[in-house]
Amino acid sequence: MFVVADGLGGHSFGEVASACVRDTLLEGAPCRDGDPAQWLEVQIAEANRRVLALQQEKNAVLKSTVVALYIMGSRAIWAHAGDSRLYYIHEGRLKAYTEDHSVAYKKYKAGEITRKEIAFDEDQSRLLRSIGGVDHNEPTIRVYEEFLTPGDGFFLCSDGVWEFLDDEEIAVDFLKSRCAKQWAEYLLLRMMERIRGGNDNLTMLTVMLQ
């Protein structure tokens, strides 16, 4: 199980909300029987319940995005709510990625802006789903039907990472890397040339299958 959760800006205790989501999913792993996709959906629902309980405890609005990857043998199941992303690389090229639950991503799908323009759009931070709400908290879950193979890669990150990277750059740096750590370092080097001061929204996980 690999998880990235990002507390929403503009809400109190964002780090508490994201930690709650992360810990709930990691504590619940592994799925020992049954349907792993259904299990992942249940775990995210439990994370949402716990964040709502924290809102009552702290008398504040706490919310978080989530993107989670569960690898079970040669199968992969991933889920997300919000605009934290997952990229899947197979045979050296970008095979699949999550679609943000945001107004900006809807504008991209409608042809109003390009994919690269999502990061700079005025509605990029307007999320349509997140963890910590009584509604609009349902994750999108993808069960990857093809078998995973050695050499495949997964990249999970917050919006403060992907907004500084192109899809092609993520794949190119993957191809240059001998291990997951090196892949992350290459990506970080690219980002450091582009990041503006005061950015505290940088979280990434790189996974390479051996």
Side-chain angles (χ1 to χ4, degrees):
M1 170 69 84
F2 303 89
V3 180
V4 166
D6 179 23
L8 267 59
H11 294 276
S12 304
F13 304 103
E15 73 284 359
V16 176
S18 58
C20 177
V21 173
R22 175 201 66 204
D23 293 345
T24 302
L25 292 180
L26 293 179
E27 289 167 6
C31 171
R32 301 193 182 279
D33 53 14
D35 179 2
Q38 185 179 42
W39 169 83
L40 186 54
E41 184 176 16
V42 169
Q43 291 302 119
I44 293 175
E46 172 62 14
N48 189 75
R49 187 194 67 77
R50 293 188 185 184
V51 173
L52 287 173
L54 282 171
Q55 291 183 13
Q56 295 295 319
E57 175 186 322
K58 297 185 177 297
N59 192 29
V61 178
L62 290 75
K63 292 193 175 183
S64 176
T65 70
V66 66
V67 58
L69 166 67
Y70 188 65
I71 296 177
M72 189 174 185
S74 59
R75 300 178 65 198
I77 302 95
W78 57 80
H80 78 289
D83 61 355
S84 291
R85 288 184 180 179
L86 175 145
Y87 299 79
Y88 171 49
I89 294 178
H90 175 70
E91 295 183 345
R93 64 186 182 87
L94 187 59
K95 182 78 171 180
Y97 50 77
T98 54
E99 298 188 351
D100 307 339
H101 299 132
S102 70
V103 174
Y105 202 90
K106 288 286 189 182
K107 290 164 74 171
Y108 156 66
K109 295 294 286 187
E112 297 177 24
I113 59 175
T114 67
R115 181 169 165 82
K116 289 184 180 181
E117 288 173 333
I118 295 172
F120 313 105
D121 189 80
E122 61 184 0
D123 292 318
Q124 190 267 315
S125 61
R126 292 180 59 194
L127 299 187
L128 302 174
R129 299 191 204 178
S130 62
I131 304 302
V134 294
D135 53 16
H136 305 298
N137 53 48
E138 306 86 356
T140 295
I141 297 180
R142 166 88 183 267
V143 178
Y144 190 70
E145 299 295 345
E146 301 177 36
F147 288 128
L148 304 179
T149 59
D152 286 356
F154 292 93
F155 178 51
L156 291 73
C157 64
S158 62
D159 63 315
V161 172
W162 60 253
E163 66 183 6
F164 294 107
L165 297 169
D166 292 341
D167 294 351
E168 297 80 7
E169 293 173 332
I170 294 170
V172 166
D173 285 346
F174 172 82
L175 291 171
K176 295 190 310 187
S177 304
R178 297 186 304 273
C179 63
K181 181 175 184 290
Q182 189 175 50
W183 185 18
E185 289 171 346
Y186 280 139
L187 293 169
L188 186 59
L189 284 173
R190 287 187 189 272
M191 292 161 51
M192 294 306 293
E193 298 177 350
R194 305 167 185 176
I195 292 173
R196 298 174 293 277
N199 191 316
D200 64 348
N201 181 19
L202 304 175
T203 304
M204 70 169 80
L205 282 174
T206 49
V207 181
M208 296 178 72
L209 304 186
Q210 304 297 319

